[in-house]
Every structure is written in C-alpha cells, then in structure tokens.
C-alpha cells in the first residue's frame, strides 16, 4: 500500500458530505412535522397533549436518521478501520 | 492485486454516501406520515388510537429502508468480504 | 485478468448505491400511502378495517421493490459470480 | 479480448443501477394508486369491491415494469451471454 | 476490430439503462391513469364499465412504450447484430 | 477508417437511449390524456362517445412521437448506413 | 481528413438524441392540449365542434416541432453533406 | 488548419441539439396557449372568434422562436461558412 | 495562432446553443402571456381591445430577448471579428 | 502570450452564453408581469391606466437586466480589452 | 508568471457568467413584485399610492443585487488588478 | 506519505462544503416552522404560549442538525486526526 | 511557489461566482417579502405603517446575506492575503 | 510539501462557495418567515406584538446558519491553520 493518504483524503471528504447531505432530510422533515403540529394545535387546542406526544415520537424517529449519519461520520474520522490498518502497516 | 487501497477508498466513499442518500427518503417520508397523523388527530380526535397504531406500523415500514442502508454501511466498514480477501492475500 | 480489484471496487460501489437509491422510492411511496390511509381513517372511521387491509396489501407491493434492491445488494457483496470467478482464477 | 474484467465490471454496475433506478417509478406509482384507492374507499365505501379489483389490476400492470428491470438484472448477473463468451474464449 | 469487448460493454450498459429509464415513464403514467380511474369510479359508480374499458385501452397504450424498451433491451443482449459481426469476424 | 467498432458502440448506446428517453414523454402524456378522459366521463357520462373519439385521436398523435423514436432505434440497429459503409469498406 | 469515423459517430449520436429530446416537448404538449379539450367537451358539450377544430389546429402546430426534429434526424442519417464529403474525399 | 473534421463534427452535434432543445419551449408553450384557448371557448362560447384570432397571433409569435432554431440548424448543415472556408482551403 | 479551427468550432457550438437556450424563455413566456390574455378575454369580453393592446406590447418586450439571442447568433456565424482576424492573419 | 486564440475562444463562448442565459430571466419575468397585468385589467377595468403605467415601469426595470447582459456580450465581441491587448502584442 | 492569458480567459469567462447568472434572480424577483403590485392595485385601487411607493422601494432593493453583479463584471473587464499586475510584470 | 498537502486541501474543501450544504436544510426548515407558528398565532391567539413552546422545541431539534455540521467543520479544520498524523510523521 | 497565476485565476473565478450565486437568494427572497407586503397592504390598508416597518427590518436581514457575499468578493479581488503573499514572495 | 499554492487555491475557492451557497438558505428562509409575518399582521393586527417578537426569534435562529458560513469563510481566508503551517514550513 503505497499511497495511504488516499484513504485519509477519502475519509475526510466522505465524513463531511455524509453529515452535510444527511442533515438535509431530517431538517426539512422535522420542520414539516413541527409545522403541522403547530397547525394542529391552532385548529384543535384541546388535543394539544396528544398532538405533542405524537410529535415527539415522530421527531425521535426522524432524528434517528440524522444520528445514523453522525455516527458514520464519527467512525470515519476517529475509528476508521481502513486508516488504522494503513497506519499499522506503515509502522510495522 | 497491487492496489488494495482502492478497495478501502471505495468502501469509505460508498459507506458514507449510502447512509447519507439512504436517510433522505425515510426522513422525508416519516415526516409526511407524522404530519398527516397530526392533522388526522386534530380532525378526528376520537380515532386517535387507531391513527396512532396505523402510524406506528407505517413508521416501522419506512424506517426499514433506512435500516437496510445502515446495515449495508456497517457491512462495508466492518465486515467487508473484499477487504478481508485483500488483507488475507497481502498477509499470506 | 490482471486487475481483479476493479471487480471488487465496482461491487462495493454499486452495492451501496443500489440500496441507497433503491430506498428512496419505497420510503417516499410508503409514506404517501400511510399518510393517505390516516386521512381516510379520519374521514371515514367506520371503514378503518377495509382501509387498513388495503393499506397493508399496498405496503407489501411497494416494499417488494425495496426487497429487490436489497437482494441485489446482498448478491453483489456475498454471492458475486464475477468475483468468485476472479478469485478461483487467481487461485487456480 | 484482452480485458474480460471490463465486461464483469460493466455487468455489476448496470445490474445494480437497473434495479435501483427501475424501482423508483413502480414504488412511487404504486403508492399513488394505493393512496387514491384509500381515498376512494373513504369517499364511496359501497364500491370498495370494484375499487379493490381495479386497484389490483393496476398494481399488476405497474409492478410489471419493476419485474422487467429485475429480470434484466438477473440476466446480467447470472446468464450474461457476453460474460459466458469471454469465459469460454479464455478457457478455450 | 481489435477491441470487441467495447461492443459487449456498451451493450450491457445500454441494455440495463434502457429498461431502467424506460420503466419510469410507464410506471408513473399507469399509476396516474389507475388513480384517476379509481377516483372516477368513486365519483360515478354507475359508469364503472365504461371507465374500466377506457382505462384498459389507455393502460395498453402506455404499456406499449415499456414494451418498446424491453424489446430493444432483449435485442441488445440476445440478438445484437454488432456483437454477432464481431464474433463472426473474430472466428473467421 | 481504422476503428469501425466506434460506430458500433455509438449505434448501440444511442439506440437504447433514444427509445428510453423517447418513451418518457409519450408515456406521461398518454397517461395525462387518459386520466382526463376518465374524469370527463365521470363528469359527463352522456358525452362518452365524443370523449372517447377525441381521446383516441389524441393518443394516436402522442404515440406518433414514440413511433418516431422506435423507427430511429430500429434504423440504427438494423439499417445503419454508416455501419454498412464501414463493413463494406473493411470487406472490400 | 484522417478520421472520417468521427463524423459517422457524431451523426449517429446526434440523430438519436435529436428525435429523443425533440419528442419530449410535443408529447407532453399534445397531451396537455388533448386533456384540456376533453375537459372542455365535458364542460360545454354543445361547443364540441369548435373545440375539436381548435384542438386539431393546435395539434398540427405542436406536431410541427416534432416534424422539424424528425427531418433533421433523417438528414443526419441519410443525407448528411459532411459524411458525403468525407466519403467522396476518401474515394477520390 | 489540419483537422477540418472537427468543424464537421461540431456542426453536426450543434445542428441536432439546436432544433432538439429549441423545440421544447415552443411545443410546451403552444400547448399551453391552445389549452387555455379551449378552456376559454368552453367558458365563453360567444367570444370564440376573438379568442381564436388572439390564439393564432400568439401561436405565430411562439412558433417564430422554433423557426429561428430551424433556420440556424439549416444554416449549420447546408450553408456553413466555416465549413466552406475549410473545404475551399483544402481544395486550394 | 496555430489552431484557427478552434475559433470556428467554438463559434458553431455557441451559435447553436445561444438560439436554442435563448428561445426557451421567450417561447414559454409568450405562451404564458397569450394564455392569460385568452383567459382575460373570456372573463371580460368588453375589455378585449385594451387586453389585446397590452398583450401586443408585452409580446414585443418578450420577443426582444429572443431577438437579442438571434442577433448574437448571426454575428457569430456571419460577422465574427475573431474569425475574420484569424482568416486575415492566415492569408497575410 | 503564446496562445491568443484561447482568448478569442473564451470570448465567443461566453458572449453567447451570457445573452442566452441572461434572456431566460427577463423573458419569464416580463411574461409574468404582463400576464398579471392582463388579469388585473380583466378584474378592474376602471384602473387600466394605473395598471398599464405600473406595468411599464416594471417592464423597464426587468428589461434592464437583459440590457446588462447584452452590453456585456457586445463588449466581449467588439470591445474586448484582453483581445486588443493580445492583438497589439502580437503586432508589436 | 508564464501564462498570463489564463488570467484573461478566466476574467472573460467569469465576467459573462456573473452578469448572466446574476440577472436571473433580480429579473424573476422584480417580476414577482410587479405582478403582486398589479394584483394589489386591482384589488384595492384606493391604496395605489402606498402600493406604488412600497413597490419602488422593493424594486430598488432587488435591483441592488443586479448592480452588485454588474459592478463586479465591470471590475473584472476594465479594472482587473490581477491582469494589470500581469501586464505590468510582462512590460517591466 | 509524499503529498500531505492533499489532506490539507481535502480538509479545506470539505470543511466549507459541509457547513454550506448543511445550513440549507436547517435554514429552510426553521423558516417553515417559524412561518407556520406565525400563522398559528394569527389564527388562534389564545394558544400562543403552547405554540411558542412547541416551536422552540422544534427549532432546537432542527438546529441540532446544523450543529452537527458545524462540529464536523470545526473538527476538520482545528482537530483533524489525519492532518496531525501527517504533520507528526513529517516532523518525526 | 512556481505558479502564482493559479491564485489569481481562482480569485477571479470565485469572486464572480460568489456574488452571482449569492445574489440569487436575496433577490428572490426580497421579492417574496415585498410581494407579500403589497398583498398585506391591499388586504389591511389601516396597518400599512406596521407592515412597512416589519418589511424594512426583514429586507435588511435578507440584504445582509447579499452583503456578506459582496464583502467576500471585494476581499478576494482587492485584499486577497494569498495573492499578496505570492506577490511579496515573487518580489522578495 | 512542494505545492503550497494548492492550499491557497482551495481556500479561495471554498471561501467563496461557502458564503455563496450558505446565503441561499437563510435568504429564502428569512423571506418566507417575513412574508408569513406580514400576512399574519394583516390577518390579526391586534397580535402584532406577539407576531413581531416570534418573528425576531425565528430570524435570529435562521441568520445563525448564515453566520456559521461567514465565520468559516473568514477562518479560511484570514486564520487558515493549513496555510499558516505551509508558510511556516516554507520560511523555516
């Protein structure tokens, strides 16, 4: 393996793009859910407890996809098995 | 096989893109389902039990596609058969 | 065949993209079906049994396209005939 | 024919993209049909038999385009005449 | 003709893309027609016979464009005149 | 003319793309016309004869653009003057 | 002129793309006009003669742009002045 | 000028693309004008003469942009000053 | 200046693209203005004179942007100062 | 400066693209303003003088951005300081 | 600095693209503001003075972004510090 | 590792793109939530306390995705493990 | 540093693109705000003072993003630290 | 590190693109919030104090994403750790 910096470069590029692209969907999705929750409260104030509870469950589900992306980003930066292999091989 | 780092680079790039692109659809889809559930509860509070149950079944189905992507991402990073073959061959 | 790693690289790249792109359609489609089902229940609570049954049949049909993509992804990673041919040839 | 792996690489890339792109249309299309069927049942419960029958015919037609893509994907992976020719020539 | 595998590679790539792209239009189009048919039945149940007949004629017309793409895909894989010429020349 | 396979490759690529891209417009267009015809029948059942006749004329016009693409595809595969010139020159 | 096949390749590529891209607009446009005509007939059956006549004039105008593309495609395949010049020069 | 075929190739490519892209706008535009004219006739049958006259003036204006593209296409194929210069120079 | 055909190639490519892209906006824009004029006449027949006059002023303004593109196209083909400089230099 | 034709090529390419892209916005924008003016006249014929005056001020503002693009195009073709510098240097 | 024409080429390309892209936003934006002003006048003729005044302030703000782009374009063509440095260095 | 500046270049490029792309989703999402909150307050002023509280929870969730991107950007610029490895190796 | 003109070229390209892209958002955004303000004045003339004041605060916020882009453009052209370093190094 | 200008070029390119892309979202988002606030004031003038307060909190949240991008841009231009390392190394 003569060019280990290719692995570093690829990890940096993908770490950033993963969280950047991966935050688009959850940000827009949560906004949609919150906006609809506000409209629902304005329309049916008596059900605000049920609406808020359903909203929080939904936000947790949507946020989970952002968490997946953040976890992969952190793995690529701080616990990248390919980089560790390259460093170990270079040091061996 | 003279350039095993190509396999590492490809695995890193695709691992990130898979979960990044794969989280767009579920995030937006779950947001749509949650938003409609909130609107349905505001319109028909008496059916909130049926609505919530149907919502959860739907969220599970939609989340399943995000899970597929996360599983493939994890396989590519931690259990990649092509990388293991390359490492075994290099060490053999 | 002098460069078998090209086959590995192509398999990795396409395995990820297949499930990533292939999960967009089902995720958005299932969300649409679920959202409409919730609206239908809110509008016609008495038909919730018929609605739920039709919804599940539809979700199964839509999920089937995600399954096709997942199957192809698994074949490319774990049962790839081109890779097996290359490995067999290299070992022969 | 000096580079038979090009045929393998092309087959892998296109096998994945075919089913990935080819599942977008049917997934979204079936979702639209199912969503409209649910709305129709909610609006006209007495016609649910006719609606369901027409829906199933339509789903079959839409699914057929996904089947075309899946068949081509399988042919490219497991019954690829160009690859067989290359293997036969290499073995001859 | 020194590089006949270029013809094989091009045939594989285009065979997949043709059916993949070519299934998008018919899938979405048939879904639109089916969805409108369901809405029409719900609105005017007495005309369900006329609606169903017109729907089937329309589905046949739309499916025809998918059939064109499938035929071209099959020709490119199994009855490709350029490939046969290359094979004949190589064997001659 | 030293590289006649370039002509074969270009013909294969364009033959597939022409029918693939060319089927998008007619498929979506015919679907729109059929959907509107169904809505018109549901709204004005007494005019179903006039509506059906106008629909068929329109479908014929729209299908004609798909036919143009199919004809060009067939010419490029089976009656390609550039390829015939190249073959004749090579054989001459 | 040492590479006449470049002219052949360019002619093939553009002949297909011209009719493929050029059929998108007319197909969608004619569908829009036909759909609106059907809606107009359903709304005002007594004016169906005037509507049909105006529709046919409009379809002819829209089809004319598809005809332009088809004519250019045929010229590029069967009456290409650049190709004829190259062939004449090669034969001279 | 050592590579006159570059001029021929560029002329072929642009001739096709000009009429292909240039027919999209007029086709969609004329369809919009015709569709609105049909809706206007259905809404106000007594003004059909004024509507038809205004429609024809508008179609002529819109068609003029398609004519511009067709003229440029014909100039590039049959009266291309750059190509004539190259041919004259080659023959001089 | 050793490669004057680059100037010719660039002029050809841009001449076509300018009028092709430049005709999209005016075609769609004029169609919108004409469609709205038809709707306005149908809604307020008594003001058809004022509407028609305002429409013609607007069409002239919109057409002016298409004229700009056509003028630049003609300059690039028939009165191109860069090409004349290159020809003069080559002949000097 | 050894390659002055690069400056000529860049000037030609950008001159055309500037006016082509720059005419899209004004053409669509003026069409929107004109269409709304026609709708306003149809809705409030008594205010046609105020509407027309405001429309003309708006059209002048929108046309100004097209004029900017046309001016830059003319400068690049006929008064290009970089090209004059290159010609002067070549002749000095 | 051995290739000063790169600076000239880059300045030409960006000067044109800046004003071309930069005129899209203001043209569409001003059209939206003008269209809404016309609708507001038609709806509330008595407030035409306030509406016109607010419109002019808004148009000035929107036009300011087009002015920014025009200023940068002029600086790049006629007062480009990088080009002046290159010319001074070449002449020194 | 012979080219450590590749790591620096990749870090700079991705640091900027991550926060640039990553701010699109939250900015648009928060705007949607705020806009809906304002509409809800205008519709149901008595519930402004509940609406504001739900809005703030939602904004915090949406802002969290922007924070993820900002954190990754800062890590890539100021605490980049790949760059530190390269610097340490170069200094060792 | 052997190629300082790369820095100049990059500065020119990005200076133009920054203000060009950066003016799209503010131009469209300010247009939306102004258009809504005009609609609000037409709907509620008595609140025109409050509406105008809120509009001006909003326009200032939106314009601030255009100012950011203009400042960065000016820094890149007239106060570029990288270019000054390169010039100082070349002159030292 | 033999090519330090690559770092300078990358910093310049990304500094501009970051603020350019990063200003799109906030500009459009703030416009949406302001527009909705104006509509809310016009609909419910008595709540203008609550609406204005909520609007300002929302604008601050949205503007924060633009600030993130501006901060990263300034860091890349004036406090770039990679550039300082390169300069220090070159001067050492």
């Amino acid at each position: 393996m003569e060019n280990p910096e290719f692995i570093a470069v690829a990890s940096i590029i993908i770490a950033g793009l993963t969280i950047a692209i991966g935050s688009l969907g959850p940000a827009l999705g949560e906004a949609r859910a919150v906006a609809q929750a506000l409209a629902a409260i304005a329309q049916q104030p008596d059900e605000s407890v049920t609406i808020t509870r359903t909203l929080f469950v939904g936000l947790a589900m949507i946020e989970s996809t952002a968490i997946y992306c953040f976890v992969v980003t952190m793995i690529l930066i701080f616990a990248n098995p390919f980089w560790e292999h390259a460093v170990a091989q270079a040091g061996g």
Side-chain angles (χ1 to χ4, degrees), chain A residues 1-73:
Chain A
M1 204 179 286
E2 299 170 355
N3 298 87
E5 67 262 39
F6 284 173
I7 296 179
V9 167
S11 301
I12 292 170
I13 291 174
I14 292 303
L17 287 185
T18 300
I19 190 64
I21 298 175
S23 74
L24 277 178
L28 295 175
E30 291 175 6
R32 183 171 189 173
V34 171
Q36 186 62 48
L38 294 169
I41 290 172
Q43 185 188 342
Q44 197 70 265
D46 299 338
E47 292 295 316
S48 71
V49 171
T50 313
I51 289 168
T52 308
R53 201 181 51 214
T54 308
L55 172 66
F56 286 177
V57 171
L59 286 180
M61 291 295 283
I62 301 171
E63 187 77 11
S64 76
T65 64
I67 300 291
Y68 293 164
C69 290
F70 193 61
V71 164
V72 171
T73 299

